Amino acid sequence: MIGAKILLIEDEVKISRFLELELKHEGYEVEQAYDGRTGLEKALGGEYDLILMDIMLPSINGIEILRRIRKKSDIPVIMLTAKDDTMDKVMGLDTGADDYITKPFAIEELLARIRVVLKRKVSVTKNSILRANDLKLDLDKYSVALNNESIDLTKREFELLRYLLENKNIVLTRERLLEAVWGYDYPGDTNVVDVYISYLRSKIDDKINKKIIYTVRGVGYLLKDEE
C-alpha cells in the first residue's frame, strides 16, 4: 500500500527521524508527534492508514492513547517499545494493537510487519455483513450478534472471528490464523490461537449449545456454515 499515510508517535527524536527517513524511502507519507498528548490529538483529528506508537511517552502513555483511539476508530496500530515484558505485550494486544515490536529491531522486520497490517486493511471484504448459521458480524458497526442477541467481544476475538467467517468452511492452520490476526512474526507461540478459540467458543458455541467452530486435529480450526 505505497503512499499510505502513517502517524509516528515516538519521543526519541533520533529514532523518530531514522524511522521517518526509512518510511519515506519506502514510499509512505509520514507525520510525527513527540509526546502522547500531541499524538492523541493527531490520531483522533487526522486521517491515517496506520499508527506506529511507542508505549513509554511523555504526558500520555501509548496504552492509554490506544484505549482512547479504539473507542472511536479501528485504524491499524503497531506498538514500538523498549519493553520486552510479556504483560506489556498482552496489555497492548488486548487493548487493540494490531502488532507489537520490541526495540531494538531490524528495520526490515518493521517494514514487513507494516506491509502485512496494511495488506490486511485493504483486503477487507466489500460485504460488510458476514454470516454463518445464526451468527452475524457487522464490519461497519463493529458488532456481533447471535440469534439477534448482541455478543461482546474484545478486538482480538472480533478479528479472529472475522477471519474465520471470511474463510468459513475452510480449514485454517494455527500458523495462518496467527499471522492473519496477530501479525507477522508474532513473538508468542501458536498456543495463543487455542486460547482465543476457547474464548470464542465460550461466547458462541456454549451459548447456543451447538458446535460452530471445529478443531481439525493436528491442523487447526474450521468455522462450519451448515446453512
Side-chain angles (χ1 to χ4, degrees):
M1 191 174 172
I2 301 302
K5 188 174 182 180
I6 296 176
L7 174 61
L8 173 60
I9 309 175
E10 167 62 68
D11 63 315
E12 296 186 46
V13 177
K14 289 184 178 179
I15 293 177
S16 183
R17 178 58 176 164
F18 168 72
L19 292 175
E20 177 193 22
L21 293 174
E22 292 291 337
L23 292 170
K24 286 185 174 180
H25 180 71
E26 292 296 314
Y28 299 115
E29 183 181 346
V30 182
E31 190 168 331
Q32 294 163 285
Y34 300 100
D35 65 86
R37 192 171 302 281
T38 302
L40 178 61
E41 290 175 355
K42 289 189 175 186
L44 296 180
E47 294 290 334
Y48 304 97
D49 298 295
L50 174 73
I51 296 176
L52 299 180
M53 177 169 58
D54 196 2
I55 282 185
M56 301 300 291
L57 292 166
S59 68
I60 305 176
N61 68 53
I63 296 295
E64 180 59 27
I65 293 173
L66 180 57
R67 186 175 290 113
R68 298 187 192 184
I69 289 173
R70 283 292 171 256
K71 290 180 179 179
K72 298 185 177 181
S73 170
D74 63 350
I75 180 175
V77 175
I78 297 178
M79 306 298 289
L80 310 175
T81 179
K83 287 193 172 185
D84 193 21
D85 183 82
T86 300
M87 288 307 298
D88 289 319
K89 294 178 181 180
V90 170
M91 185 180 297
L93 292 169
D94 281 348
T95 304
D98 293 84
D99 204 351
Y100 189 114
I101 188 168
T102 303
K103 301 174 186 176
F105 51 80
I107 188 63
E108 291 82 6
E109 180 182 3
L110 175 61
L111 293 173
R113 294 190 184 212
I114 289 172
R115 287 193 295 271
V116 168
V117 171
L118 289 176
K119 183 179 179 181
R120 189 187 310 153
K121 180 175 184 287
V122 299
S123 65
V124 173
T125 177
K126 292 181 180 179
N127 182 6
S128 64
I129 304 294
L130 302 176
R131 299 177 184 272
N133 304 297
D134 297 315
L135 185 66
K136 183 179 78 171
L137 184 148
D138 191 322
L139 293 170
D140 290 338
K141 296 180 180 178
Y142 213 78
S143 64
V144 176
L146 183 62
N147 290 326
N148 295 318
E149 292 186 17
S150 179
I151 299 176
D152 291 327
L153 299 182
T154 66
K155 182 179 186 295
R156 194 67 54 184
E157 291 166 352
F158 183 93
E159 293 301 331
L160 177 57
L161 179 60
R162 167 181 167 178
Y163 194 74
L164 288 167
L165 284 167
E166 288 175 340
N167 297 276
K168 62 185 181 182
N169 299 320
I170 298 173
V171 178
L172 301 170
T173 65
R174 290 173 176 81
E175 290 75 17
R176 182 172 172 183
L177 288 167
L178 193 69
E179 180 173 334
V181 179
W182 279 263
Y184 173 82
D185 194 24
Y186 173 68
D189 56 41
T190 57
N191 287 340
V192 71
V193 176
D194 301 329
V195 172
Y196 275 82
I197 287 290
S198 70
Y199 292 162
L200 286 180
R201 282 175 169 161
S202 68
K203 295 181 177 183
I204 299 172
D205 291 18
D206 293 352
K207 190 171 183 179
I208 58 174
N209 196 28
K210 177 183 178 182
K211 183 178 288 188
I212 295 177
I213 303 172
Y214 290 78
T215 299
V216 180
R217 192 175 299 277
V219 182
Y221 295 99
L222 163 72
L223 189 148
K224 188 177 292 186
D225 185 3
E226 298 178 346
E227 292 185 349

